[in-house]
Amino acid sequence: MHPAFSVVFFTTATGAGYGLLALLGVLGGLGFIPAHFWLGLIGMGLSLGLIAAGLLSSTGHLGRPERAWRAFSQWRSSWLSREGVASVATFIPAGLFGIGWVFFGRTGGWMAIAGFLATIGAIVTVCTTGMIYASLKPIAQWHSPYTLPGYLIFSAMTGSVLLNALLQAFAISPTAVAVAALLLTLLGWGWKLATWRYNDALEIASTANTATGLAGGTVRSLEWPHTEENYLLKEMGFRIARKHGARLRRITQVLAFALPALLLAVLFALPWPFAAALSVLAAIVQFAGMLVERWLFFAEAKHTVTLYYGR
C-alpha cells in the first residue's frame, strides 16, 4: 500500500509544465525572451510535453480510464472536472502562441495575447489542481491554508528553474531569471517547512468515539467491516514509520531546495558552459526532489475514515 506513482508524477510534471508555460507566455509576450526558433521549440515542447505526460499519467490512476471524459461534465461542482476543463482550454492559446513563436518567429501582436491567455490558463489550472486537495475537509493535512499557495509556489519555482536552464543552455542568461529561480526555490523551501510544522501540530478533534457517536469508554475496532482494503484506505490510509518520514523529509529538502539553491547561487560566478551545466543539473535534481515531496504529500495524508479501522 503506497501512494500511486501516476498521481505523484501527474502533480509534479504538470506543476513544472504549467509553471514554465506561464513564464514563457508572459515573458515571451513582453519581449523579455527573444523569439529564437530552437528556444521556442524546445521551451514550448518541454512545457506542453510535461503537461501532456502528467495528464496522461493521471488517467492510469482511474479504474475505468475510458470513462475519463465524463469528468468534464461535472465542472459546476467538482474541482477535478474544473481542472480537466481548464487544462484542455489552456492548450488552445498555448498552441497558438507556440505556432507564432516557432513558425513565424514572433511573440508580439496577437501571439502576445495568446501567450498572456496561456499564462492565465496555466495559473487557473494549477489553482484547480490545488483546490482538489484543499477542498477535502476529511483530510486535515490537505484542508489547510498552506495547500493552494503551495501548489502555486512550487509551480512557479520549478517553472523558473526550468526556464533558467533553457536560457542558460542557449547562452541567454538574464540575471533576473536566475535570481527569481533562486528566490522562488528559497521561498518554496520555507513554505514546505512551514507546512510540515503546521501539519505536525494538528490536533484532530475526531476520534473513534466521536465518529461512532458512542461514549462511556474507548471505542476500538475488533475487525474490519470488509475483507479487502477499499479505495480510501489505499489512497489516504497509508502508514509511514516516523523514521522513514523524517528521512524522506531530509531527502526532499536536499534535492528539491538546498542543492538547487546552491547550484543556482554558484552559477553567477562561473562562465557560460559551466553555468549552463549547473542550471540543467539544478532543474533535474529539483524535479527528482519534487517527486519525493509529492510522494510525502500523499503518504502523510490521513482521511478521518481510518478511525473506523483503528488507525
Side-chain angles (χ1 to χ4, degrees):
M1 197 174 63
H2 54 81
F5 180 75
S6 59
V7 177
V8 172
F9 180 78
F10 158 70
T11 53
T12 305
T14 55
Y18 282 121
L20 178 58
L21 175 62
L23 292 171
L24 288 173
V26 67
L27 296 180
L30 292 174
F32 188 78
I33 299 175
H36 188 282
F37 172 80
W38 287 107
L39 175 61
L41 181 64
I42 296 176
M44 293 299 296
L46 179 60
S47 63
L48 296 179
L50 284 170
I51 294 169
L55 292 174
L56 289 175
S57 174
S58 68
T59 62
H61 189 61
L62 301 175
R64 300 294 294 273
E66 69 276 8
R67 297 180 181 176
W69 63 271
R70 295 184 179 179
F72 291 89
S73 64
Q74 307 301 314
W75 58 269
R76 294 180 182 86
S77 59
S78 169
W79 283 107
L80 178 63
S81 182
R82 292 165 187 163
E83 177 199 42
V85 173
S87 64
V88 172
T90 302
F91 271 100
I92 299 174
L96 293 175
F97 180 66
I99 290 173
W101 188 339
V102 174
F103 292 100
F104 297 100
R106 294 172 51 200
T107 55
W110 66 266
M111 277 82 79
I113 297 175
F116 295 151
L117 291 176
T119 297
I120 294 172
I123 295 172
V124 170
T125 306
V126 172
C127 286
T128 58
T129 303
M131 284 304 299
I132 292 174
Y133 306 102
S135 64
L136 297 178
K137 293 182 180 180
I139 306 175
Q141 291 84 359
W142 293 350
H143 189 65
S144 81
Y146 289 91
T147 299
L148 178 56
Y151 266 84
L152 290 170
I153 291 171
F154 294 147
S155 181
M157 177 187 76
T158 51
S160 64
V161 173
L162 281 174
L163 178 60
N164 177 68
L166 280 171
L167 296 179
Q168 291 284 352
F170 283 91
I172 305 169
S173 53
T175 304
V177 173
V179 171
L182 175 58
L183 293 178
L184 284 169
T185 297
L186 295 175
L187 174 61
W189 193 357
W191 194 265
K192 189 72 253 187
L193 291 174
T195 303
W196 283 333
R197 185 163 54 250
Y198 176 88
N199 289 342
D200 292 342
L202 279 175
E203 294 184 3
I204 309 301
S206 298
T207 63
N209 289 68
T210 61
T212 58
L214 300 174
T218 301
V219 175
R220 58 190 179 89
S221 176
L222 294 178
E223 60 181 14
W224 286 14
H226 43 76
T227 57
E228 295 183 359
E229 290 185 334
N230 59 19
Y231 172 81
L232 287 176
L233 284 181
K234 290 180 179 179
E235 298 296 320
M236 303 159 204
F238 183 67
R239 289 177 291 184
I240 179 172
R242 181 174 298 178
K243 64 178 182 179
H244 296 317
R247 184 185 304 116
L248 289 173
R249 286 188 178 188
R250 289 194 295 270
I251 292 174
T252 296
Q253 291 188 69
V254 171
L255 294 183
F257 308 112
L259 187 53
L262 177 61
L263 293 173
L264 290 170
V266 170
L267 68 85
F268 292 105
L270 297 177
W272 170 70
F274 301 102
L278 289 184
S279 297
V280 173
L281 179 60
I284 295 173
V285 169
Q286 187 172 77
F287 190 87
M290 289 307 296
L291 286 174
V292 180
E293 187 278 332
R294 288 292 89 184
W295 191 93
L296 271 177
F297 176 78
F298 291 102
E300 293 181 332
K302 296 293 185 295
H303 198 289
T304 52
V305 75
T306 56
L307 292 172
Y308 290 100
Y309 300 87
R311 296 186 182 180

